[in-house]
Amino acid sequence: MRTNNKPSGFAIVLIALGVLILLGKLTPFFGSLFGILIAIVMIALGYYGIRKGNAFFGWIVLFIGVISLISKLAWIIVPLLGIGLIVYGISSLRGKRSY
């Protein structure tokens, strides 16, 4: 039987995911952070899949990751969109006046 003292990358990834899942369940802050992290990882994996030639599944994973990230960050995106619309409206009103 062959013994290998070097830890496998898969085992380390499993341990890290288990720790993140436990942290996500134990505290609300880590839960939302974990959700954002998963969305970012999905985007990165989708991009990696597209670059390596598996475009169909890469685009699917990338799309799901982007939609998930947008939904997780909606609390900041929507107010920024509102502020942007107000600023654009004010600048449009100022630009149409002729003195």
Side-chain angles (χ1 to χ4, degrees):
M1 184 189 313
R2 192 172 128 194
T3 60
N4 190 0
N5 292 336
K6 185 173 139 183
S8 71
F10 184 66
I12 293 171
V13 169
L14 288 177
I15 292 169
L17 282 176
V19 168
L20 287 174
I21 289 171
L22 285 177
L23 286 175
K25 292 297 179 183
L26 296 176
T27 58
F29 173 72
F30 286 118
S32 62
L33 185 64
F34 183 68
I36 292 171
L37 180 67
I38 289 295
I40 292 171
V41 167
M42 288 180 70
I43 292 170
L45 286 175
Y47 179 74
Y48 180 75
I50 292 168
R51 297 286 292 172
K52 289 295 179 180
N54 195 354
F56 179 72
F57 290 113
W59 279 110
I60 290 173
V61 172
L62 182 79
F63 179 74
I64 292 171
V66 167
I67 295 300
S68 177
L69 188 62
I70 288 172
S71 70
K72 300 286 183 197
L73 296 178
W75 63 272
I76 191 74
I77 292 173
V78 173
L80 288 176
L81 178 65
I83 291 169
L85 289 173
I86 291 169
V87 169
Y88 181 74
I90 290 172
S91 67
S92 292
L93 284 176
R94 289 186 180 186
K96 291 188 176 186
R97 290 185 184 172
S98 58
Y99 292 102

